[in-house]
Amino acid sequence: MPSSSTLKSLLITCVLAAFAFSTAWSYNCESCSSNPCSPDQTCEATQGCFNNKQQLQSLALGASLSLWSKGCNQKECTSLAFTASLGNGYTFWYDHRCCHSEKCNKDDISGPQKSSDPNGVKCYACYTDQNISCDPVPLNCTGTETKCAVIIGTEARGSTGPDARRAFAMGCTTESACQLNVTVLDNIDIRTYCIDPISGNPPLMPIISSMLTGLFLLNA
Ligand SMILES: *[C@@H]1O[C@H](CO)[C@@H](O)[C@H](O)[C@H]1NC(C)=O
Ligand SMILES: *[C@@H]1O[C@H](CO)[C@@H](O)[C@H](O)[C@H]1NC(C)=O
Ligand SMILES: *[C@@H]1O[C@H](CO)[C@@H](O)[C@H](O)[C@H]1NC(C)=O
């Protein structure tokens, strides 16, 4: 028979464990959507708090559309951040952050620090939100945008007929934007695909690779 003091300490351990469990497995997240925040939400640990900000900017129009939101993620939270420079002076960035502790999503996302230094990659770029195709022109990529992507957007909710809003874009993106299937700007489902960059100097690559092959053959 265990002594009563052993039982007592066992009980205390259980109560402490249950307390630790309940505080670790749910917490409050700030809850907002581009407006003053509503009361904090209590989230399950498996959901996580999210902090999302995204911005579409048009240099030509001198206008930008920013959206931000915070809350409990409905399913398991997956962080994702990418930037894109598209045709007609359009740029887009998206930052979805996940965290798992009390009010960990309270900070405001300020957006990426984008470098304007060319990185040597050149992509076809265009942008339209009126059509399903556009006329691509070459664009020099900068900073971390080292991939060439095609972006196809369809309206997430609402009409699917010929009147449905569509978007089509090409341009330079970060590698994280290569294979997306996400909803952006509240109601546009985008799918992205990366394609080969415009090669500035086509004959060079085969020459280098055949030289390398020759070296490997020599070594072997
Ligand atoms: C959509 O693209 C087609 C083919 O390039 C073009 O003929 C048409 O004028 C475009 N429509 C709009 C609204 O830009
Ligand atoms: C793009 O870069 C090339 C050099 O790689 C340069 O000759 C060209 O002027 C640049 N184009 C623009 C639009 O800046
Ligand atoms: C894209 O995402 C939607 C919703 O998250 C999902 O239903 C669909 O199957 C996905 N498509 C692909 C090809 O992964």
PDB file of all heavy atoms in Angstrom, residues 118-147:
ATOM      1  N   PRO A 118      20.108  43.558 -59.743  1.00  0.00           N
ATOM      2  CA  PRO A 118      19.821  42.479 -60.696  1.00  0.00           C
ATOM      3  C   PRO A 118      20.565  41.206 -60.284  1.00  0.00           C
ATOM      4  O   PRO A 118      21.687  41.271 -59.793  1.00  0.00           O
ATOM      5  CB  PRO A 118      20.365  42.998 -62.025  1.00  0.00           C
ATOM      6  CG  PRO A 118      20.495  44.462 -61.864  1.00  0.00           C
ATOM      7  CD  PRO A 118      20.730  44.713 -60.399  1.00  0.00           C
ATOM      8  N   ASN A 119      19.901  40.039 -60.420  1.00  0.00           N
ATOM      9  CA  ASN A 119      20.543  38.784 -60.036  1.00  0.00           C
ATOM     10  C   ASN A 119      20.930  37.938 -61.245  1.00  0.00           C
ATOM     11  O   ASN A 119      21.304  36.768 -61.099  1.00  0.00           O
ATOM     12  CB  ASN A 119      19.643  37.988 -59.075  1.00  0.00           C
ATOM     13  CG  ASN A 119      18.275  37.704 -59.683  1.00  0.00           C
ATOM     14  OD1 ASN A 119      18.138  37.615 -60.897  1.00  0.00           O
ATOM     15  ND2 ASN A 119      17.272  37.564 -58.850  1.00  0.00           N
ATOM     16  N   GLY A 120      20.812  38.520 -62.447  1.00  0.00           N
ATOM     17  CA  GLY A 120      21.252  37.820 -63.653  1.00  0.00           C
ATOM     18  C   GLY A 120      20.181  36.959 -64.304  1.00  0.00           C
ATOM     19  O   GLY A 120      20.362  36.495 -65.424  1.00  0.00           O
ATOM     20  N   VAL A 121      19.057  36.752 -63.604  1.00  0.00           N
ATOM     21  CA  VAL A 121      17.974  35.960 -64.184  1.00  0.00           C
ATOM     22  C   VAL A 121      17.027  36.900 -64.930  1.00  0.00           C
ATOM     23  O   VAL A 121      16.769  38.018 -64.481  1.00  0.00           O
ATOM     24  CB  VAL A 121      17.208  35.195 -63.074  1.00  0.00           C
ATOM     25  CG1 VAL A 121      16.018  34.432 -63.644  1.00  0.00           C
ATOM     26  CG2 VAL A 121      18.149  34.257 -62.333  1.00  0.00           C
ATOM     27  N   LYS A 122      16.554  36.445 -66.072  1.00  0.00           N
ATOM     28  CA  LYS A 122      15.629  37.256 -66.866  1.00  0.00           C
ATOM     29  C   LYS A 122      14.379  36.427 -67.147  1.00  0.00           C
ATOM     30  O   LYS A 122      14.493  35.277 -67.575  1.00  0.00           O
ATOM     31  CB  LYS A 122      16.318  37.660 -68.169  1.00  0.00           C
ATOM     32  CG  LYS A 122      15.670  38.828 -68.881  1.00  0.00           C
ATOM     33  CD  LYS A 122      16.339  39.117 -70.206  1.00  0.00           C
ATOM     34  CE  LYS A 122      17.617  39.937 -70.067  1.00  0.00           C
ATOM     35  NZ  LYS A 122      18.091  40.400 -71.404  1.00  0.00           N
ATOM     36  N   CYS A 123      13.204  36.988 -66.897  1.00  0.00           N
ATOM     37  CA  CYS A 123      11.954  36.244 -67.081  1.00  0.00           C
ATOM     38  C   CYS A 123      11.006  37.038 -67.977  1.00  0.00           C
ATOM     39  O   CYS A 123      11.082  38.259 -68.050  1.00  0.00           O
ATOM     40  CB  CYS A 123      11.232  36.055 -65.748  1.00  0.00           C
ATOM     41  SG  CYS A 123      12.141  35.168 -64.484  1.00  0.00           S
ATOM     42  N   TYR A 124      10.085  36.337 -68.585  1.00  0.00           N
ATOM     43  CA  TYR A 124       8.983  37.013 -69.259  1.00  0.00           C
ATOM     44  C   TYR A 124       8.028  37.510 -68.191  1.00  0.00           C
ATOM     45  O   TYR A 124       7.767  36.826 -67.203  1.00  0.00           O
ATOM     46  CB  TYR A 124       8.275  36.070 -70.216  1.00  0.00           C
ATOM     47  CG  TYR A 124       9.046  35.864 -71.489  1.00  0.00           C
ATOM     48  CD1 TYR A 124       9.591  34.632 -71.807  1.00  0.00           C
ATOM     49  CD2 TYR A 124       9.254  36.938 -72.361  1.00  0.00           C
ATOM     50  CE1 TYR A 124      10.324  34.447 -72.972  1.00  0.00           C
ATOM     51  CE2 TYR A 124       9.992  36.775 -73.534  1.00  0.00           C
ATOM     52  CZ  TYR A 124      10.521  35.532 -73.838  1.00  0.00           C
ATOM     53  OH  TYR A 124      11.246  35.379 -74.976  1.00  0.00           O
ATOM     54  N   ALA A 125       7.515  38.730 -68.401  1.00  0.00           N
ATOM     55  CA  ALA A 125       6.623  39.319 -67.407  1.00  0.00           C
ATOM     56  C   ALA A 125       5.415  39.954 -68.063  1.00  0.00           C
ATOM     57  O   ALA A 125       5.516  40.554 -69.139  1.00  0.00           O
ATOM     58  CB  ALA A 125       7.372  40.371 -66.592  1.00  0.00           C
ATOM     59  N   CYS A 126       4.278  39.806 -67.430  1.00  0.00           N
ATOM     60  CA  CYS A 126       3.061  40.493 -67.850  1.00  0.00           C
ATOM     61  C   CYS A 126       2.056  40.421 -66.708  1.00  0.00           C
ATOM     62  O   CYS A 126       2.266  39.707 -65.730  1.00  0.00           O
ATOM     63  CB  CYS A 126       2.485  39.880 -69.121  1.00  0.00           C
ATOM     64  SG  CYS A 126       1.844  38.220 -68.925  1.00  0.00           S
ATOM     65  N   TYR A 127       0.992  41.182 -66.817  1.00  0.00           N
ATOM     66  CA  TYR A 127      -0.026  41.157 -65.768  1.00  0.00           C
ATOM     67  C   TYR A 127      -1.363  41.579 -66.360  1.00  0.00           C
ATOM     68  O   TYR A 127      -1.451  42.581 -67.063  1.00  0.00           O
ATOM     69  CB  TYR A 127       0.329  42.132 -64.635  1.00  0.00           C
ATOM     70  CG  TYR A 127      -0.738  42.208 -63.569  1.00  0.00           C
ATOM     71  CD1 TYR A 127      -0.707  41.360 -62.475  1.00  0.00           C
ATOM     72  CD2 TYR A 127      -1.800  43.109 -63.688  1.00  0.00           C
ATOM     73  CE1 TYR A 127      -1.706  41.398 -61.518  1.00  0.00           C
ATOM     74  CE2 TYR A 127      -2.805  43.157 -62.726  1.00  0.00           C
ATOM     75  CZ  TYR A 127      -2.752  42.305 -61.643  1.00  0.00           C
ATOM     76  OH  TYR A 127      -3.739  42.341 -60.702  1.00  0.00           O
ATOM     77  N   THR A 128      -2.394  40.833 -66.081  1.00  0.00           N
ATOM     78  CA  THR A 128      -3.733  41.284 -66.426  1.00  0.00           C
ATOM     79  C   THR A 128      -4.723  40.728 -65.421  1.00  0.00           C
ATOM     80  O   THR A 128      -4.569  39.600 -64.949  1.00  0.00           O
ATOM     81  CB  THR A 128      -4.152  40.858 -67.850  1.00  0.00           C
ATOM     82  OG1 THR A 128      -5.515  41.261 -68.051  1.00  0.00           O
ATOM     83  CG2 THR A 128      -4.067  39.362 -68.045  1.00  0.00           C
ATOM     84  N   ASP A 129      -5.712  41.535 -65.056  1.00  0.00           N
ATOM     85  CA  ASP A 129      -6.788  40.978 -64.235  1.00  0.00           C
ATOM     86  C   ASP A 129      -8.106  41.061 -65.013  1.00  0.00           C
ATOM     87  O   ASP A 129      -9.179  41.039 -64.452  1.00  0.00           O
ATOM     88  CB  ASP A 129      -6.886  41.667 -62.869  1.00  0.00           C
ATOM     89  CG  ASP A 129      -6.974  43.171 -62.986  1.00  0.00           C
ATOM     90  OD1 ASP A 129      -7.224  43.681 -64.105  1.00  0.00           O
ATOM     91  OD2 ASP A 129      -6.789  43.843 -61.955  1.00  0.00           O
ATOM     92  N   GLN A 130      -7.962  41.175 -66.349  1.00  0.00           N
ATOM     93  CA  GLN A 130      -9.137  41.284 -67.217  1.00  0.00           C
ATOM     94  C   GLN A 130      -9.264  40.097 -68.149  1.00  0.00           C
ATOM     95  O   GLN A 130     -10.226  40.000 -68.897  1.00  0.00           O
ATOM     96  CB  GLN A 130      -9.018  42.528 -68.127  1.00  0.00           C
ATOM     97  CG  GLN A 130      -8.574  43.790 -67.466  1.00  0.00           C
ATOM     98  CD  GLN A 130      -9.702  44.422 -66.705  1.00  0.00           C
ATOM     99  OE1 GLN A 130     -10.835  44.406 -67.172  1.00  0.00           O
ATOM    100  NE2 GLN A 130      -9.411  44.946 -65.543  1.00  0.00           N
ATOM    101  N   ASN A 131      -8.269  39.262 -68.189  1.00  0.00           N
ATOM    102  CA  ASN A 131      -8.172  38.333 -69.306  1.00  0.00           C
ATOM    103  C   ASN A 131      -7.499  37.033 -68.857  1.00  0.00           C
ATOM    104  O   ASN A 131      -7.042  36.930 -67.736  1.00  0.00           O
ATOM    105  CB  ASN A 131      -7.336  39.009 -70.409  1.00  0.00           C
ATOM    106  CG  ASN A 131      -7.879  38.700 -71.779  1.00  0.00           C
ATOM    107  OD1 ASN A 131      -8.465  37.654 -71.992  1.00  0.00           O
ATOM    108  ND2 ASN A 131      -7.659  39.601 -72.717  1.00  0.00           N
ATOM    109  N   ILE A 132      -7.445  36.075 -69.761  1.00  0.00           N
ATOM    110  CA  ILE A 132      -6.776  34.833 -69.410  1.00  0.00           C
ATOM    111  C   ILE A 132      -5.399  34.731 -70.064  1.00  0.00           C
ATOM    112  O   ILE A 132      -4.736  33.719 -69.981  1.00  0.00           O
ATOM    113  CB  ILE A 132      -7.618  33.591 -69.784  1.00  0.00           C
ATOM    114  CG1 ILE A 132      -8.099  33.706 -71.223  1.00  0.00           C
ATOM    115  CG2 ILE A 132      -8.786  33.430 -68.831  1.00  0.00           C
ATOM    116  CD1 ILE A 132      -8.712  32.436 -71.765  1.00  0.00           C
ATOM    117  N   SER A 133      -4.981  35.798 -70.732  1.00  0.00           N
ATOM    118  CA  SER A 133      -3.627  35.796 -71.274  1.00  0.00           C
ATOM    119  C   SER A 133      -3.120  37.227 -71.352  1.00  0.00           C
ATOM    120  O   SER A 133      -3.894  38.173 -71.240  1.00  0.00           O
ATOM    121  CB  SER A 133      -3.598  35.159 -72.670  1.00  0.00           C
ATOM    122  OG  SER A 133      -4.303  35.974 -73.570  1.00  0.00           O
ATOM    123  N   CYS A 134      -1.825  37.407 -71.520  1.00  0.00           N
ATOM    124  CA  CYS A 134      -1.277  38.753 -71.663  1.00  0.00           C
ATOM    125  C   CYS A 134      -0.008  38.679 -72.491  1.00  0.00           C
ATOM    126  O   CYS A 134       0.516  37.596 -72.732  1.00  0.00           O
ATOM    127  CB  CYS A 134      -1.040  39.410 -70.306  1.00  0.00           C
ATOM    128  SG  CYS A 134      -0.070  38.468 -69.141  1.00  0.00           S
ATOM    129  N   ASP A 135       0.488  39.820 -72.929  1.00  0.00           N
ATOM    130  CA  ASP A 135       1.670  39.857 -73.792  1.00  0.00           C
ATOM    131  C   ASP A 135       2.933  39.985 -72.963  1.00  0.00           C
ATOM    132  O   ASP A 135       3.194  41.041 -72.399  1.00  0.00           O
ATOM    133  CB  ASP A 135       1.577  41.043 -74.766  1.00  0.00           C
ATOM    134  CG  ASP A 135       0.418  40.881 -75.738  1.00  0.00           C
ATOM    135  OD1 ASP A 135       0.103  39.705 -76.076  1.00  0.00           O
ATOM    136  OD2 ASP A 135      -0.174  41.901 -76.122  1.00  0.00           O
ATOM    137  N   PRO A 136       3.746  38.935 -72.897  1.00  0.00           N
ATOM    138  CA  PRO A 136       4.938  38.983 -72.047  1.00  0.00           C
ATOM    139  C   PRO A 136       6.080  39.805 -72.635  1.00  0.00           C
ATOM    140  O   PRO A 136       6.294  39.789 -73.849  1.00  0.00           O
ATOM    141  CB  PRO A 136       5.355  37.518 -71.932  1.00  0.00           C
ATOM    142  CG  PRO A 136       4.514  36.743 -72.857  1.00  0.00           C
ATOM    143  CD  PRO A 136       3.599  37.660 -73.598  1.00  0.00           C
ATOM    144  N   VAL A 137       6.769  40.530 -71.769  1.00  0.00           N
ATOM    145  CA  VAL A 137       7.993  41.244 -72.150  1.00  0.00           C
ATOM    146  C   VAL A 137       9.109  40.827 -71.188  1.00  0.00           C
ATOM    147  O   VAL A 137       8.826  40.476 -70.045  1.00  0.00           O
ATOM    148  CB  VAL A 137       7.809  42.779 -72.107  1.00  0.00           C
ATOM    149  CG1 VAL A 137       6.790  43.248 -73.128  1.00  0.00           C
ATOM    150  CG2 VAL A 137       7.408  43.230 -70.717  1.00  0.00           C
ATOM    151  N   PRO A 138      10.373  40.855 -71.637  1.00  0.00           N
ATOM    152  CA  PRO A 138      11.464  40.439 -70.746  1.00  0.00           C
ATOM    153  C   PRO A 138      11.610  41.375 -69.543  1.00  0.00           C
ATOM    154  O   PRO A 138      11.434  42.588 -69.679  1.00  0.00           O
ATOM    155  CB  PRO A 138      12.707  40.512 -71.635  1.00  0.00           C
ATOM    156  CG  PRO A 138      12.191  40.481 -73.031  1.00  0.00           C
ATOM    157  CD  PRO A 138      10.855  41.165 -72.995  1.00  0.00           C
ATOM    158  N   LEU A 139      11.894  40.785 -68.403  1.00  0.00           N
ATOM    159  CA  LEU A 139      12.111  41.558 -67.174  1.00  0.00           C
ATOM    160  C   LEU A 139      13.367  41.046 -66.472  1.00  0.00           C
ATOM    161  O   LEU A 139      13.549  39.837 -66.333  1.00  0.00           O
ATOM    162  CB  LEU A 139      10.896  41.385 -66.245  1.00  0.00           C
ATOM    163  CG  LEU A 139      10.971  42.030 -64.858  1.00  0.00           C
ATOM    164  CD1 LEU A 139      10.894  43.553 -64.953  1.00  0.00           C
ATOM    165  CD2 LEU A 139       9.837  41.518 -63.963  1.00  0.00           C
ATOM    166  N   ASN A 140      14.246  41.965 -66.058  1.00  0.00           N
ATOM    167  CA  ASN A 140      15.432  41.572 -65.293  1.00  0.00           C
ATOM    168  C   ASN A 140      15.030  41.340 -63.844  1.00  0.00           C
ATOM    169  O   ASN A 140      14.461  42.222 -63.208  1.00  0.00           O
ATOM    170  CB  ASN A 140      16.491  42.679 -65.349  1.00  0.00           C
ATOM    171  CG  ASN A 140      17.124  42.807 -66.733  1.00  0.00           C
ATOM    172  OD1 ASN A 140      17.198  41.833 -67.479  1.00  0.00           O
ATOM    173  ND2 ASN A 140      17.572  44.008 -67.065  1.00  0.00           N
ATOM    174  N   CYS A 141      15.334  40.168 -63.312  1.00  0.00           N
ATOM    175  CA  CYS A 141      14.960  39.859 -61.932  1.00  0.00           C
ATOM    176  C   CYS A 141      15.966  40.470 -60.962  1.00  0.00           C
ATOM    177  O   CYS A 141      17.130  40.682 -61.305  1.00  0.00           O
ATOM    178  CB  CYS A 141      14.914  38.352 -61.710  1.00  0.00           C
ATOM    179  SG  CYS A 141      13.776  37.502 -62.806  1.00  0.00           S
ATOM    180  N   THR A 142      15.499  40.718 -59.738  1.00  0.00           N
ATOM    181  CA  THR A 142      16.366  41.325 -58.724  1.00  0.00           C
ATOM    182  C   THR A 142      16.310  40.523 -57.426  1.00  0.00           C
ATOM    183  O   THR A 142      15.360  39.780 -57.181  1.00  0.00           O
ATOM    184  CB  THR A 142      15.920  42.770 -58.416  1.00  0.00           C
ATOM    185  OG1 THR A 142      14.564  42.728 -57.997  1.00  0.00           O
ATOM    186  CG2 THR A 142      16.057  43.670 -59.644  1.00  0.00           C
ATOM    187  N   GLY A 143      17.345  40.726 -56.602  1.00  0.00           N
ATOM    188  CA  GLY A 143      17.364  40.166 -55.251  1.00  0.00           C
ATOM    189  C   GLY A 143      17.127  38.664 -55.209  1.00  0.00           C
ATOM    190  O   GLY A 143      17.746  37.901 -55.938  1.00  0.00           O
ATOM    191  N   THR A 144      16.213  38.239 -54.354  1.00  0.00           N
ATOM    192  CA  THR A 144      15.952  36.807 -54.148  1.00  0.00           C
ATOM    193  C   THR A 144      14.930  36.250 -55.133  1.00  0.00           C
ATOM    194  O   THR A 144      14.574  35.083 -55.047  1.00  0.00           O
ATOM    195  CB  THR A 144      15.447  36.551 -52.718  1.00  0.00           C
ATOM    196  OG1 THR A 144      14.318  37.391 -52.491  1.00  0.00           O
ATOM    197  CG2 THR A 144      16.518  36.837 -51.683  1.00  0.00           C
ATOM    198  N   GLU A 145      14.446  37.095 -56.044  1.00  0.00           N
ATOM    199  CA  GLU A 145      13.478  36.602 -57.031  1.00  0.00           C
ATOM    200  C   GLU A 145      14.227  35.965 -58.204  1.00  0.00           C
ATOM    201  O   GLU A 145      14.475  36.592 -59.228  1.00  0.00           O
ATOM    202  CB  GLU A 145      12.573  37.747 -57.493  1.00  0.00           C
ATOM    203  CG  GLU A 145      11.687  38.243 -56.363  1.00  0.00           C
ATOM    204  CD  GLU A 145      10.788  39.410 -56.752  1.00  0.00           C
ATOM    205  OE1 GLU A 145      10.986  40.001 -57.827  1.00  0.00           O
ATOM    206  OE2 GLU A 145       9.880  39.720 -55.961  1.00  0.00           O
ATOM    207  N   THR A 146      14.593  34.697 -58.019  1.00  0.00           N
ATOM    208  CA  THR A 146      15.471  34.022 -58.979  1.00  0.00           C
ATOM    209  C   THR A 146      14.729  33.021 -59.846  1.00  0.00           C
ATOM    210  O   THR A 146      15.347  32.274 -60.588  1.00  0.00           O
ATOM    211  CB  THR A 146      16.578  33.264 -58.223  1.00  0.00           C
ATOM    212  OG1 THR A 146      15.959  32.373 -57.296  1.00  0.00           O
ATOM    213  CG2 THR A 146      17.497  34.214 -57.472  1.00  0.00           C
ATOM    214  N   LYS A 147      13.406  32.964 -59.718  1.00  0.00           N
ATOM    215  CA  LYS A 147      12.625  31.999 -60.499  1.00  0.00           C
ATOM    216  C   LYS A 147      11.653  32.727 -61.413  1.00  0.00           C
ATOM    217  O   LYS A 147      11.198  33.830 -61.099  1.00  0.00           O
ATOM    218  CB  LYS A 147      11.835  31.083 -59.553  1.00  0.00           C
ATOM    219  CG  LYS A 147      12.705  30.199 -58.697  1.00  0.00           C
ATOM    220  CD  LYS A 147      13.323  29.107 -59.521  1.00  0.00           C
ATOM    221  CE  LYS A 147      14.363  28.331 -58.747  1.00  0.00           C
ATOM    222  NZ  LYS A 147      15.001  27.306 -59.553  1.00  0.00           N
TER     223      LYS A 147
END
